[in-house]
Amino acid sequence: MERTKILVVDDEETLCDVLKFNLEIEGYDVDVAYSAEEALRLPLNSYGLVLLDVMMGEISGFRMARMMRDNPATADVPIIFCTAKDTEDEMVAGLRLGADDYITKPYSIRNVLARVQTVLRRTGRKESGPDATDERIACLGLVIDTAQKRLTVDGTEVPLPKKELEILRLLIANPGRIFSRGEILTRVWPDEVVVLDRTVDVNITRLRRKLGEYGKHIITRPGYGYGFKA
């Protein structure tokens, strides 16, 4: 599956690095630009989304957004402003420019990831997050039909609550990869304000029990997290 390309534009290099690292963990391809001038030299129409700061150098984020919206080649590229300009007037101005969302600093990475996923889903762009899977995922005797939200084990349907099914889908869609509890929380509980790490452990325990002999394929890496080994 083709991975969504995201461009992060911000003059704070450390912030760019943090966003790039976390977005890549989520499965996106990420480029960074440290100014609007640098970003405008890139093929902007190739990106599925742009995360854009407002207060930069000679060309502000607002001006860059206006330039993108005025150019037919980039008019439909989703834009999320990530900025310290947090007044209502500035937020309204950003949205009127055609931004798809507006996030004020300081923000949590979980919030940014959830907003990215929501904008990609809403705009119909290809998405590399947890909902961007094939309709049918099969591994060993386990088959998840993502359209019908159902799991079968060796041909027999096994009812699972939504969160347990989403955790299992995440793990078997990425065999061999270890996800930290924080990564699982971000993907499976993106909109909840407070969810304890212990919640992941409880759901994993229930999953193992319900999967019978296949439960042993959900592996634990102490100090790191969980994965699925085929």
Side-chain angles (χ1 to χ4, degrees):
M1 177 172 47
E2 184 180 352
R3 290 155 62 99
T4 301
K5 291 179 62 179
I6 293 177
L7 176 63
V8 178
V9 186
D10 199 302
D11 56 4
E12 296 183 46
E13 293 190 21
T14 300
L15 185 56
C16 285
D17 291 343
V18 170
L19 287 171
K20 177 179 173 66
F21 174 77
N22 283 277
L23 287 164
E24 287 179 341
I25 286 178
E26 292 298 300
Y28 302 105
D29 284 335
V30 184
D31 292 332
V32 300
Y34 302 120
S35 67
E37 291 87 343
E38 181 181 348
L40 289 167
R41 291 193 291 269
L42 299 173
L44 294 175
N45 61 333
S46 69
Y47 292 98
L49 184 143
V50 175
L51 286 169
L52 182 58
D53 186 24
V54 172
M55 296 183 293
M56 292 185 287
E58 186 173 331
I59 299 178
S60 71
F62 281 170
R63 183 180 172 193
M64 176 177 164
R66 188 178 297 109
M67 294 168 70
M68 290 179 63
R69 291 295 177 252
D70 289 342
N71 183 344
T74 57
D76 295 329
V77 176
I79 296 172
I80 298 178
F81 282 121
C82 296
T83 175
K85 296 177 75 68
D86 59 358
T87 69
E88 183 177 359
D89 287 345
E90 288 158 342
M91 184 179 299
V92 169
L95 295 173
R96 284 180 174 171
L97 280 171
D100 296 270
D101 206 344
Y102 194 105
I103 307 173
T104 57
K105 300 176 182 177
Y107 48 70
S108 72
I109 293 299
R110 288 183 64 188
N111 183 26
V112 174
L113 297 177
R115 300 286 192 97
V116 166
Q117 187 183 107
T118 298
V119 167
L120 289 174
R121 186 186 301 119
R122 185 174 68 234
T123 57
R125 294 276 172 159
K126 292 180 179 178
E127 184 183 342
S128 303
D131 293 321
T133 58
D134 295 330
E135 287 195 355
R136 186 175 181 274
I137 301 174
C139 189
L140 302 174
L142 307 176
V143 178
I144 295 178
D145 186 325
T146 62
Q148 298 186 21
K149 312 300 182 187
R150 61 194 292 264
L151 165 73
T152 57
V153 179
D154 292 333
T156 301
E157 183 173 355
V158 175
L160 290 181
K162 179 182 178 181
K163 297 304 184 184
E164 290 179 20
L165 184 65
E166 290 180 356
I167 291 174
L168 182 61
R169 181 178 65 175
L170 174 65
L171 297 183
I172 70 173
N174 299 275
R177 177 176 170 179
I178 301 299
F179 290 91
S180 70
R181 290 176 178 84
E183 289 171 336
I184 295 173
L185 287 173
T186 297
R187 287 168 173 257
V188 178
W189 285 271
D191 300 321
E192 281 79 352
V193 177
V194 178
V195 181
L196 301 177
D197 287 356
R198 178 62 180 163
T199 302
V200 175
D201 301 334
V202 170
N203 279 270
I204 291 289
T205 299
R206 291 173 179 165
L207 264 177
R208 283 176 171 148
R209 183 172 63 251
K210 294 175 182 178
L211 296 182
E213 65 176 289
Y214 296 110
K216 64 185 179 183
H217 291 277
I218 298 179
I219 59 175
T220 303
R221 288 285 182 265
Y224 293 95
Y226 296 102
F228 191 91
K229 184 176 181 180

